[in-house]
Amino acid sequence: MIDVIVAGGGPTGLMLAGELRLHGVRVVVLERDAEPTTVVRALGMHARSIEMMDQRGLLERFLALGKQYPVGGFFAGISKPAPELDSAHAYVLGIPQPTTDRLLTEHAIDLGAEIRRGCEVVGLSQDDDGVTVELSDGTRLRSRYLVGCDGGRSAVRKLLGVGFPGEPSRVDTLLGEMELTASPETLTAVMTEVRKTQTRFGAMPLGDGTYRVVVPAEGVAEDRTVPPTLEELRQQLLAVAGTDFGVHSPRWLSRFGDATRQAERYRVGRVLLAGDAAHIHPPMGGQGLNLGVQDAFNLGWKLAAEVAGWAPEGLLDSYHTERHPVAADVLENTRVQMQLASLDPGAQAVRRLVSELMDFDEVNRHLTEKIVAIGIRYDFGAGHELLGRRLRDVGLKQGRLYERMHAGRGLLLDQTGRLSVAGWADRVDHVVDTSEELDVPAVLLRPDGHVAWVGEDQRDLIDQLPTWFGAATG
């Protein structure tokens, strides 16, 4: 029997497949599309996602194909200086989603994941022992668990009957990649003027003679799966900017809305939801791909523990407990950003006030951390200020912290040399080393890098290890 079927071969599903394979879980990814998409829906990664790639030894591959940009201007497009962030990767990595998909596909396959394309899930049922998945060609597959990473129109979520409350789209935006005949000078002048009031507008050069063009649509499409025409986009450019820039030869055209919805539950028995299948929101701040990949990073080791049989009670349910509030906060901040992007005089007045407040460093940092996701703290109860937070990459005498996390296991960073993880050594690495950047005796990190314990007492450590890593062996 397959251990886990992942429905959906986008960034979330591929990241999850890789995480599961690190723990030897047999994974099959089912992707509806027969070929990888060329549509560039996401353009980059924020600090926390970059950290995750570093934690798994993938970052050099991404850096080689991406471009680093300073952090700033993400919150509703309000331009402010980049704040100081508590991360070794305080930048945005510009990299188109098809490239991210390819790199994560290669990683998952290298680790032994099986990826089947042209496979659409149309039915499912579950019992106490597993899940039966029915495909559009009549094939049935059996697995111990199923994870729906199949996008905002998730078939898995619908088949489960999980509610997806929220607000429908009120505005649509057209986008695509195409060539222009307008001069760079004309383009810059028009963009500078239009973007004073319209943030959902732009034409960004991609470096190969083509541009990524974004412009508000005339109305809300009844069927967003039907792409817009070049003539529709041209007419909207004329209406918004007074020129169509001579657009021609589109590579692809698409549209997106500002619907905001979240699944009521992320788990129903042996079926779970992640990424856009669990939450959709406007693309303000570029958070969608990042949020989904971070879902997978949280879920992967927990589901692997369940498959392996050592997961403590409640560990798999903690995926919903931890990630549902995070997505709710993203939905909230994108709602705010959409309001601040409105041309309504009242919204513009609020935008000016928010801009003034962002001149305070703490406000600028707080709002930026919401976007780049390094300010997240899971509720692990009372304790040290680090508890529940991810630990940034700190330098050690013998290298870097993140270099020690490539295997996806727990990690005890012990600066005392007096502690032990005997009984959990098959799940937790014990690193005896010191860091000038860490002023606590020792920290216990979960496989996703969040701090599960801080201290120096062996008895306290033994009390905490079972909470995240199950019963001791041997």
Side-chain angles (χ1 to χ4, degrees):
M1 182 190 294
I2 301 166
D3 289 326
V4 178
I5 290 175
V6 176
T12 301
L14 294 168
M15 187 73 195
L16 179 60
E19 289 296 288
L20 292 168
R21 283 302 305 155
L22 283 175
H23 300 276
V25 175
R26 186 187 174 197
V27 184
V28 174
V29 178
L30 303 178
E31 168 54 45
R32 180 185 62 185
D33 294 340
E35 299 294 335
T37 182
T38 59
V39 176
V40 185
R41 293 198 173 275
L43 285 168
M45 286 187 174
H46 289 310
R48 182 56 190 141
S49 298
I50 298 169
E51 289 181 344
M52 286 164 27
M53 299 307 155
D54 196 6
Q55 285 175 248
R56 294 299 181 260
L58 298 174
L59 185 55
E60 291 305 317
R61 305 185 197 182
F62 282 83
L63 292 178
L65 297 174
K67 184 176 181 180
Q68 296 180 35
Y69 296 95
V71 174
F74 293 125
F75 198 83
I78 299 174
S79 181
K80 297 293 177 183
E84 289 190 16
L85 299 177
D86 183 32
S87 174
H89 302 289
Y91 55 86
V92 179
L93 183 63
I95 187 167
Q97 184 173 331
T99 303
T100 295
D101 289 349
R102 177 170 62 82
L103 292 175
L104 291 178
T105 298
E106 292 170 357
H107 172 61
I109 291 175
D110 287 346
L111 290 173
E114 181 182 354
I115 299 176
R116 303 181 187 178
R117 288 195 161 274
C119 296
E120 182 179 4
V121 175
V122 297
L124 68 86
S125 61
Q126 61 175 314
D127 52 42
D128 291 342
D129 300 317
V131 184
T132 300
V133 174
E134 181 181 351
L135 305 183
S136 57
D137 64 358
T139 302
R140 291 178 181 268
L141 299 175
R142 182 78 171 162
S143 64
R144 297 176 65 181
Y145 290 91
L146 167 67
V147 185
C149 303
D150 50 343
R153 300 180 181 89
S154 171
V156 173
R157 186 190 65 243
K158 293 174 182 177
L159 290 166
L160 274 180
V162 171
F164 203 42
E167 304 89 47
S169 287
R170 297 167 300 164
V171 295
D172 274 6
T173 303
L174 310 181
L175 74 158
E177 291 182 3
M178 61 207 71
E179 297 179 31
L180 313 178
T181 60
S183 68
E185 294 77 16
T186 298
L187 188 63
T188 299
V190 173
M191 281 186 57
T192 299
E193 186 62 29
V194 174
R195 285 185 64 84
K196 289 179 181 178
T197 55
Q198 179 55 262
T199 58
R200 292 185 296 123
F201 172 82
M204 184 181 73
L206 300 178
D208 58 356
T210 61
Y211 289 77
R212 181 181 175 89
V213 177
V214 182
V215 65
E218 182 178 11
V220 177
E222 291 186 9
D223 185 357
R224 197 164 286 104
T225 63
V226 178
T229 64
L230 180 62
E231 181 59 26
E232 183 181 352
L233 184 136
R234 181 181 288 121
Q235 290 301 318
Q236 286 307 109
L237 286 172
L238 286 168
V240 173
T243 174
D244 64 5
F245 299 121
V247 293
H248 66 96
S249 306
R251 289 180 177 175
W252 56 266
L253 296 167
S254 185
R255 72 176 80 235
F256 62 85
D258 66 337
T260 307
R261 298 184 181 277
Q262 184 173 22
E264 292 177 330
R265 292 183 289 170
Y266 284 12
R267 180 189 179 191
V268 178
R270 291 179 172 268
V271 184
L272 301 103
L273 302 172
D276 288 354
H279 40 69
I280 59 171
H281 55 83
M284 301 294 284
Q287 299 171 86
L289 180 149
N290 292 272
L291 182 60
V293 169
Q294 291 158 26
D295 282 346
F297 208 60
N298 182 283
L299 174 59
W301 68 279
K302 297 174 180 177
L303 185 52
E306 195 74 27
V307 170
W310 60 257
E313 184 178 356
L315 181 65
L316 190 54
D317 285 330
S318 74
Y319 165 62
H320 170 93
T321 303
E322 292 175 1
R323 294 304 297 174
H324 195 276
V326 171
D329 188 68
V330 171
L331 267 62
E332 197 76 354
N333 83 55
T334 55
R335 287 186 180 104
V336 170
Q337 292 183 75
M338 286 300 294
Q339 290 296 320
L340 295 177
S342 170
L343 301 182
D344 179 79
Q348 287 296 301
V350 176
R351 182 184 180 88
R352 289 190 290 272
L353 177 59
V354 172
S355 180
E356 289 181 20
L357 292 173
M358 289 178 69
D359 287 333
F360 291 96
D361 290 340
E362 289 188 7
V363 175
N364 189 19
R365 183 181 301 107
H366 175 74
L367 294 179
T368 301
E369 285 183 350
K370 279 183 174 291
I371 303 295
V372 303
I374 64 170
I376 293 169
R377 183 178 189 178
Y378 298 138
D379 184 7
F380 294 172
H384 194 278
E385 63 179 3
L386 287 177
L387 195 65
R389 297 188 182 279
R390 107 281 181 246
L391 186 62
R392 66 179 176 87
D393 187 24
V394 297
L396 306 173
K397 279 193 173 181
Q398 302 175 51
R400 296 187 298 115
L401 174 64
Y402 284 6
E403 291 175 333
R404 304 298 190 94
M405 303 187 74
H406 293 178
R409 292 153 49 92
L411 185 145
L412 174 66
L413 176 56
D414 177 10
Q415 299 198 94
T416 73
R418 299 189 302 269
L419 300 173
S420 170
V421 293
W424 291 272
D426 59 330
R427 287 155 267 170
V428 181
D429 293 325
H430 185 194
V431 175
V432 178
D433 206 341
T434 58
S435 172
E436 295 180 357
E437 303 171 49
L438 193 62
D439 61 357
V440 294
V443 290
L444 175 66
L445 302 180
R446 306 190 316 182
D448 60 0
H450 282 257
V451 178
W453 175 81
V454 179
E456 57 183 327
D457 187 274
Q458 179 68 30
R459 289 171 298 181
D460 288 344
L461 175 61
I462 290 175
D463 286 342
Q464 285 300 314
L465 280 164
T467 301
W468 301 108
F469 299 102
T473 59

